[in-house]
Amino acid sequence: MTDRHNRPADANPDTQDKLALDNSPVDDNELQEMVAANDTGARIPDGWQGKVLLGAALVWSLFQLWIASPLPFYDWPVIGSFGIFNDTEVRAIHLGFATFLAFTAYPALARSPRHHIPVTDIALSLLAAFSASYIFLFYEQLVTRPGLPNTQDIVVAVTGLVLLLEAARRTLGPPLMIVAIVFLTYSLGGAYMPDLIAHKGVSLEELINHQWLTTEGVFGIALGVSSNFVFLFVLFGALLDKAGAGNYFIQVAFSLLGHMRGGPAKAAVVSSGLTGLISGSSIANVVTTGTFTIPMMKRVGFSSEKAGAVEVASSVNGQIMPPVMGAAAFLMVEYVGISYVQVITHAFLPALISYLALIYIVHLEALKQDMHGLPRRAEVKPWQLRLIGILSGFLVTSAIAAVVYFGIGWIKPAFGDFAGVVIAILLAAAYVALVRFAAKVPDLKLDDPNEPMVQLPEVGPTVKSGLHFLLPVVVLVWCLMIERLSPGLSAFWATALMIVILLTQRPLIAFFRQEQNLSARLSQGFSELIDGLITGARNMIGIGIATATAGIIVGAVSQTGVGSVLADLVEVLSMGNLLLMLILTAILSLILGMGLPTTANYIVVSSLLAPVVISLGQESGLIVPLIAVHLFVFYFGIMADVTPPVGLASFAAAAVSGGDPIRTGFVAFAYSMRTAALPFLFIFNTDLLLIDVTWIQGIQIFITSTIAMLVFTAATQGYFFSRNRWYETVLLLLVAFSMFRPGFWMDRIVEPYQLVAPQAVVQTLDNVESGTELRFWIDGEDAVGNARSFVANLTLSDGGNGQERLAGTGIELLNNNGKVIVDYVGFDSAAEKAGLAFDQVITGVQVPQAQPPKELIYIPALALLALIIVIQQRRREADSANKRAATA
């Protein structure tokens, strides 16, 4: 727990109060106790209680590894296959472990004992574990009477719900517990609610059955994702950290970037991004990297608040960076209904652009204050030689990747059933070679960041010292992207390799260095493995409780229809204005996300607000892909970790920096404006999410979007090549908008659609090419009979005249006294999937018409940008000349 790189957690309100008591920096041990302990549990009992607690965490990790592996399905000698559980049973056991550890590892109150577990907590932990595991223990009886809970079921379920809410309070603080209680109250008392949000209400028996005895509530998709995917990725991150990868990432970032202007801040951004790849917590990233990077930033000239804000902004951004995205990536697979590879493909470009913009923010801050970097050990090579080195490294890496890709493609057919053994041998050889490579370099260690750093670590030796840490990441990416294995199985193989590395890296390094303490090194590796397995499980307590508690909210939404009520409320408040509706949705996402960990806030905001954006967008004529909507609410949900006054990450950073927490939060929010702008941009321009684009288009979108984001950053920071005049800021914002959304201006120059009267649609389609996407404006009813107007996109089928093409989509129209009515919609047809239904009235049809390429807008935008650059360059030269004259 006192190790600097133990993964910390989302601080609960008690911790937040402690962090806000004063503005003086806290020492490392105090910080770990105040913040990091909240992730793994603040209680570390002595004696047999401590062994039981750690043993339960260890067994939980081993259980999750077992069910993720192919081992249960092997035909073992004598016993055959065993230990096979269905998904519902796994969820129940998973929550049983989580609730048991929540009551044993987390004290009830701030004054509760930390070094022993009271009898009451022992009793509550056993009762909670029994209630959570009830579906597993009585599975056969429950499946014989679905929807008919008996007295025992009701008693156990009520007990389980109450204890789950208490576990949520202990592990995550009051916010999620309060939200869940509100939704339970709403479910039971719907008939007594105000008319705007009223519903018929549900009985206690219906509530219990829905929330606890089915997979619609607590044991729903969210808990399934936690048990099947998230645990393995969290465990993988914990093992990587125990092996020394966290230290390695920070050292590499400093060696590469520390010499630049504001170098420590740029290194903080990169190292936090790398840590975010394997972490599920914004606050975890802040404390893991911040204890080292924040003092270094202060040393080169950043104020306490700005140093903390840079760390907060970069750490929160780690939650939007694939492949883990704070575990939300796996939830999106289930909620959006697309593959994991598609999710991370769509999420990658906005996250990368956001990180590049944050590095640019740091650069601008360094320019404003004329900061300098830290000294390097060796003389810096000319830029030509550095460029050649970078290109050479890229070519070598590409060659190795090509050899691996095509080599494995040859091995599989050549060796058949033995291909796995051959690949494992080659992987082992590569690992031993990289460890031997690392053994030639002295061990890296993080120096005290408060002590003067005379020189930065050298790039070459630093990078070489931990290349073997990249092997599990490569295995993970290979299994996900190339082999297309499930996320859970991919994480299992990567974790299995991490276990091997933890057990063998230290003995191998000692062997290659010809040291004599091989047995001690082996014992150390085994201890680190056990510690990593325990830490991984304890890191999962909060996530397991969060997903289960958030399941209450999801269950209430599905049982009461509150989503449509919320849509009506947002529609009334936004007065039908699409942009205002998105702003209101963003604000609601921020509010709902306050105080919640990443996983829980995504479940809450996506289940409540994603349908709102889709429904109201469709009524306004904006057809938004489901993944874009989910990313929109996810981005604003995690922004709650930054936004004052609740921004927990800002409190954690202020505890390290000694700055004011609220001011740190406001500065971090200003730095995060680029992250807040991105969701609005990809809602209106889905090219940013690489939806239906080619490789060439993707590269062009990356270049133009990066330029646009850097220009937007310069505008919001008030500094480009020199300090902005007010009109330059306005012009820079105009350039950024034009680069992001060139289609906005082109649509005003040439209308993208031709409006056709519904009565003339069949004749018009005679002259329209096959595959054209039409937009139908519809008046109809929603699922509960309320009047609704919306837009449906329908792609025209091939062949024949207009009537036949329209029929090919599964729709037939009827002209009834001047009204065009949908007379027939084919089952499972394109028309039905677009939302068309019998008896709807078509009020208008829009047919696409030719437009000049929207990319032509880039020409005037870039010309305006060039003019601003020339003006600012001249002003900077004039200011420099005046300064030289003044000092002469």
Side-chain angles (χ1 to χ4, degrees):
M1 291 295 295
T2 58
D3 180 7
R4 171 174 284 143
H5 298 295
N6 269 355
R7 179 178 167 273
D10 295 5
N12 62 30
D14 291 338
T15 299
Q16 180 174 320
D17 292 340
K18 293 177 185 177
L19 294 177
L21 288 176
D22 59 64
N23 295 338
S24 59
V26 295
D27 63 39
D28 192 53
N29 289 339
E30 185 181 357
L31 184 66
Q32 294 300 321
E33 290 176 6
M34 291 164 58
V35 181
N38 282 267
D39 201 35
T40 57
R43 182 183 281 148
I44 307 178
D46 298 323
W48 68 269
Q49 289 185 337
K51 293 177 182 178
V52 170
L53 174 59
L54 299 182
L58 178 61
V59 171
W60 191 14
S61 286
L62 295 176
F63 168 75
Q64 294 288 162
L65 283 170
W66 173 262
I67 62 171
S69 74
L71 296 177
F73 304 96
Y74 283 171
D75 188 14
W76 298 94
V78 182
I79 58 175
S81 59
F82 71 99
I84 300 175
F85 305 95
N86 65 37
D87 198 42
T88 304
E89 292 174 320
V90 168
R91 295 177 191 183
I93 296 171
H94 181 81
L95 184 58
F97 275 112
T99 51
F100 175 82
L101 290 170
F103 283 99
T104 52
Y106 288 84
L109 301 169
R111 61 178 180 273
S112 298
R114 296 297 193 268
H115 297 290
H116 78 273
I117 306 173
V119 175
T120 52
D121 281 357
I122 295 175
L124 290 175
S125 67
L126 294 174
L127 189 58
F130 171 77
S131 301
S133 306
Y134 186 73
I135 292 182
F136 166 68
L137 297 172
F138 295 89
Y139 185 78
E140 292 185 4
Q141 293 93 315
L142 289 170
V143 296
T144 60
R145 43 185 168 84
L148 299 171
N150 58 27
T151 304
Q152 175 180 296
D153 297 339
I154 293 174
V155 171
V156 171
V158 170
T159 304
L161 280 172
V162 172
L163 291 177
L164 177 61
L165 292 171
E166 168 60 11
R169 184 196 68 80
R170 292 191 183 202
T171 57
L172 307 167
L176 184 58
M177 178 196 70
I178 293 171
V179 173
I181 290 174
V182 168
F183 275 89
L184 288 173
T185 305
Y186 177 73
S187 297
L188 291 171
Y192 307 101
M193 297 291 168
D195 290 342
L196 182 62
I197 60 172
H199 64 95
K200 69 174 184 178
V202 297
S203 67
L204 178 62
E205 184 177 288
E206 291 171 332
L207 177 75
I208 291 304
N209 182 69
H210 190 80
Q211 292 284 7
W212 199 263
L213 302 178
T214 70
T215 55
E216 297 294 326
V218 171
F219 298 95
I221 290 174
L223 189 62
V225 170
S226 176
S227 60
N228 291 334
F229 306 144
V230 179
F231 192 105
L232 269 295
F233 278 85
V234 170
L235 180 60
F236 176 66
L239 294 177
L240 258 180
D241 195 44
K242 288 297 176 185
N247 180 11
Y248 174 69
F249 289 154
I250 295 175
Q251 292 278 10
V252 168
F254 268 86
S255 67
L256 291 172
L257 302 173
H259 66 287
M260 299 179 178
R261 285 182 178 269
K266 293 175 182 175
V269 173
V270 173
S271 58
S272 294
L274 293 171
T275 304
L277 295 177
I278 58 175
S279 171
S281 166
S282 303
I283 290 84
N285 295 358
V286 169
V287 181
T288 299
T289 58
T291 50
F292 184 76
T293 59
I294 289 175
M296 298 291 287
M297 283 188 269
K298 290 172 67 177
R299 189 182 307 156
V300 296
F302 282 86
S303 67
S304 296
E305 286 75 20
K306 286 186 177 181
V310 168
E311 184 59 49
V312 169
S314 54
S315 294
V316 170
N317 259 41
Q319 304 302 286
I320 65 174
M321 178 63 77
V324 179
M325 296 168 60
F330 314 113
L331 289 161
M332 287 180 191
V333 171
E334 301 295 331
Y335 288 157
V336 180
I338 60 178
S339 72
Y340 175 77
V341 173
Q342 288 175 298
V343 169
I344 61 176
T345 299
H346 297 322
F348 176 71
L349 190 56
L352 178 61
I353 292 173
S354 185
Y355 260 109
L356 292 174
L358 183 55
I359 292 175
Y360 187 55
I361 287 175
V362 169
H363 181 70
L364 293 178
E365 289 287 358
L367 287 176
K368 289 179 190 177
Q369 302 180 45
D370 195 27
M371 296 180 191
H372 298 282
L374 297 171
R376 275 186 160 177
R377 291 182 185 275
E379 183 179 350
V380 179
K381 297 178 182 178
W383 69 268
Q384 299 94 331
L385 293 179
R386 281 184 284 158
L387 181 60
I388 291 173
I390 293 172
L391 291 175
S392 300
F394 175 77
L395 291 174
V396 170
T397 303
S398 300
I400 293 173
V403 169
V404 171
Y405 181 81
F406 291 106
I408 292 179
W410 172 80
I411 288 172
K412 286 182 177 179
F415 290 91
D417 294 339
F418 296 97
V421 177
V422 173
I423 293 172
I425 292 172
L426 293 175
L427 184 63
Y431 165 62
V432 172
L434 289 175
V435 172
R436 183 176 183 180
F437 202 46
K440 299 177 181 178
V441 181
D443 289 335
L444 296 178
K445 63 178 180 177
L446 287 176
D447 300 320
D448 185 348
N450 296 301
E451 294 295 324
M453 178 179 275
V454 180
Q455 290 178 317
L456 287 169
E458 294 183 52
V459 175
T462 303
V463 172
K464 295 174 185 176
S465 66
L467 287 174
H468 58 287
F469 293 137
L470 302 181
L471 279 179
V473 179
V474 170
V475 169
L476 176 64
V477 173
W478 179 274
C479 291
L480 286 170
M481 306 292 289
I482 307 299
E483 301 294 338
R484 297 298 178 99
L485 301 180
S486 70
L489 188 56
S490 301
F492 167 77
W493 289 119
T495 303
L497 180 55
M498 268 313 309
I499 291 173
V500 173
I501 289 175
L502 271 169
L503 289 174
T504 61
Q505 68 167 344
R506 296 192 185 282
L508 283 174
I509 289 174
F511 173 77
F512 288 127
R513 289 176 179 171
Q514 298 182 343
E515 297 175 356
Q516 303 300 317
N517 55 348
L518 295 182
S519 59
R521 292 294 188 180
L522 182 61
S523 176
Q524 182 183 359
F526 183 77
S527 298
E528 288 174 343
L529 171 60
I530 299 299
D531 195 16
L533 292 171
I534 293 171
T535 301
R538 295 189 68 163
N539 286 344
M540 269 300 299
I541 300 172
I543 297 175
I545 297 297
T547 53
T549 310
I552 295 175
I553 298 160
V554 176
V557 170
S558 64
Q559 193 172 26
T560 64
V562 68
S564 61
V565 172
L566 196 60
D568 292 340
L569 179 62
V570 173
E571 185 176 21
V572 169
L573 293 175
S574 65
M575 297 172 289
N577 183 284
L578 181 60
L579 184 59
L580 185 56
M581 178 268 291
L582 289 173
I583 292 172
L584 286 172
T585 303
I587 293 171
L588 285 172
S589 298
L590 274 173
I591 294 171
L592 289 170
M594 286 183 177
L596 301 185
T598 303
T599 312
N601 86 41
Y602 169 68
I603 297 168
V604 172
V605 299
S606 64
S607 59
L608 288 175
L609 297 176
V612 174
V613 178
I614 293 170
S615 174
L616 299 184
Q618 194 175 27
E619 292 177 10
S620 303
L622 180 67
I623 309 298
V624 186
L626 191 56
I627 182 65
V629 176
H630 277 255
L631 285 172
F632 181 91
V633 297
F634 174 59
Y635 268 53
F636 283 102
I638 64 167
M639 283 288 288
D641 276 346
V642 177
T643 311
V646 180
L648 299 179
S650 301
F651 280 85
V656 182
S657 69
D660 179 79
I662 301 299
R663 286 179 59 193
T664 300
F666 278 112
V667 176
F669 184 79
Y671 288 167
S672 299
M673 286 299 294
R674 79 224 181 279
T675 306
L678 278 170
F680 287 97
L681 294 168
F682 61 60
I683 283 287
F684 291 102
N685 182 9
T686 56
D687 289 350
L688 274 172
L689 302 180
L690 302 179
I691 295 176
D692 297 328
V693 298
T694 64
W695 275 99
I696 300 299
Q697 290 173 321
I699 294 171
Q700 173 252 313
I701 291 164
F702 169 67
I703 294 171
T704 55
S705 299
T706 301
I707 294 172
M709 183 52 73
L710 297 184
V711 171
F712 175 82
T713 299
T716 55
Q717 293 300 307
Y719 196 99
F720 194 20
F721 287 85
S722 65
R723 293 193 181 276
N724 298 342
R725 304 280 193 262
W726 70 266
Y727 57 86
E728 290 173 340
T729 295
V730 173
L731 292 176
L732 286 172
L733 289 173
L734 178 63
V735 170
F737 179 77
S738 301
M739 296 289 288
F740 269 123
R741 278 214 66 204
F744 176 85
W745 301 115
M746 190 57 71
D747 289 350
R748 270 116 193 104
I749 298 170
V750 179
E751 283 287 340
Y753 289 96
Q754 172 193 356
L755 184 61
V756 177
Q759 297 81 358
V761 65
V762 174
Q763 293 79 5
T764 303
L765 296 184
D766 288 338
N767 303 315
V768 175
E769 294 182 2
S770 301
T772 301
E773 188 175 72
L774 310 177
R775 305 180 77 190
F776 286 80
W777 289 83
I778 307 293
D779 281 348
E781 296 179 345
D782 62 16
V784 293
N786 297 322
R788 178 187 177 218
S789 297
F790 66 99
V791 175
N793 283 10
L794 189 62
T795 301
L796 202 60
S797 64
D798 296 331
N801 57 29
Q803 184 72 43
E804 292 168 343
R805 290 179 177 184
L806 203 57
T809 65
I811 183 176
E812 292 181 8
L813 305 179
L814 173 67
N815 194 332
N816 184 9
N817 297 325
K819 281 186 176 182
V820 176
I821 300 173
V822 178
D823 192 45
Y824 170 79
V825 176
F827 174 73
D828 201 34
S829 64
E832 185 184 57
K833 292 176 181 176
L836 294 169
F838 174 74
D839 222 21
Q840 290 174 339
V841 178
I842 298 178
T843 59
V845 179
Q846 289 180 317
V847 180
Q849 63 180 3
Q851 267 188 322
K854 64 182 180 181
E855 288 77 14
L856 291 176
I857 299 297
Y858 294 151
I859 297 174
L862 291 173
L864 180 58
L865 179 62
L867 177 62
I868 297 172
I869 291 173
V870 170
I871 293 172
Q872 291 210 356
Q873 285 276 32
R874 289 179 177 175
R875 187 163 67 244
R876 186 174 71 172
E877 291 171 2
D879 291 343
S880 298
N882 292 336
K883 286 182 181 178
R884 287 195 298 270
T887 55

